[in-house]
Amino acid sequence: MQFASGLLYAKNLGVVYPNSSSKAIKYYQVIIDNIKKNSTHTVIIKTLERKTKANDIKQWIDKNQIVGLVTLSKYSKKIVNKLDLSIPVIHASSNFIKPSKHYQVNLIVSPRVFNKFIPSLTPNVKKIHVVVHRNLKWAFDHINHPSL
């Protein structure tokens, strides 16, 4: 995995996600499997429990020499945002999440929801990249926004 800015070319990539329902865990596992499959980095996983503190994550990052971090879920983002990290962070969520100091990936399947949310991103977000399966491209063709 390469971060969009090209900042990440080292060994250990961290992925954190909350201990959730089995359905959510399966969803996270698909994402993690694809990160591992498409990355030249060693992917190290941390499951967050309710008792996990921000400092626990910081110690895990330092101990494992994590050079880039992917958070799965709003819960993971909330804890990681408490840290002052010098490594690149990407927040990934199936729900739209508020603008952040880190990169974000939102996994949305509804063009209608996407179209309603996009105006709330400006003026803070300068560029939005949309990846759509070729069979669904038509559903996004009508969206016209200067940041796309």
Side-chain angles (χ1 to χ4, degrees), residues 1 3 7-16 35-36 39-45 60-70 87-89:
M1 169 179 264
F3 283 41
L7 295 174
L8 180 64
Y9 284 104
K11 291 183 180 179
N12 295 335
L13 176 65
V15 179
V16 296
I35 291 171
K36 287 179 178 179
S39 178
T40 58
H41 312 291
T42 301
V43 178
I44 300 175
I45 312 301
W60 174 78
I61 289 169
D62 293 342
K63 175 183 173 190
N64 290 287
Q65 299 177 332
I66 302 294
V67 296
L69 185 65
V70 177
I87 61 172
V89 177

Side-chain angles (χ1 to χ4, degrees), residues 13-136:
L13 176 65
V15 179
V16 296
Y17 66 89
N19 189 1
S20 305
S21 68
S22 61
K23 184 177 179 181
I25 298 294
K26 286 179 186 177
Y27 173 74
Y28 299 145
Q29 195 58 55
V30 168
I31 295 170
I32 292 166
D33 289 346
N34 278 286
I35 291 171
K36 287 179 178 179
K37 178 180 171 185
N38 294 291
S39 178
T40 58
H41 312 291
T42 301
V43 178
I44 300 175
I45 312 301
K46 179 159 181 67
T47 304
L48 306 179
E49 304 294 337
R50 289 187 185 261
K51 64 183 182 200
T52 304
K53 306 285 185 224
N55 193 47
D56 298 333
I57 296 172
K58 176 68 171 129
Q59 289 174 359
W60 174 78
I61 289 169
D62 293 342
K63 175 183 173 190
N64 290 287
Q65 299 177 332
I66 302 294
V67 296
L69 185 65
V70 177
T71 68
L72 303 177
S73 84
K74 288 191 284 185
Y75 178 74
S76 300
K77 175 191 174 195
K78 180 180 175 183
I79 294 176
V80 169
N81 273 348
K82 293 178 182 178
L83 298 171
D84 184 24
L85 297 174
S86 61
I87 61 172
V89 177
I90 294 180
H91 298 301
S93 175
S94 60
N95 300 311
F96 278 113
I97 45 185
K98 296 177 184 176
S100 170
K101 61 185 175 181
H102 301 119
Y103 298 104
Q104 297 187 89
V105 176
N106 289 293
L107 310 170
I108 292 297
V109 294
S110 168
R112 187 178 29 169
V113 171
F114 180 79
N115 201 28
K116 283 182 180 180
F117 180 76
I118 224 169
S120 70
L121 294 174
T122 53
N124 296 331
V125 175
K126 305 291 186 233
K127 189 75 171 169
I128 300 170
H129 299 275
V130 179
V131 178
V132 180
H133 189 278
R134 66 180 169 265
N135 293 345
L136 299 175

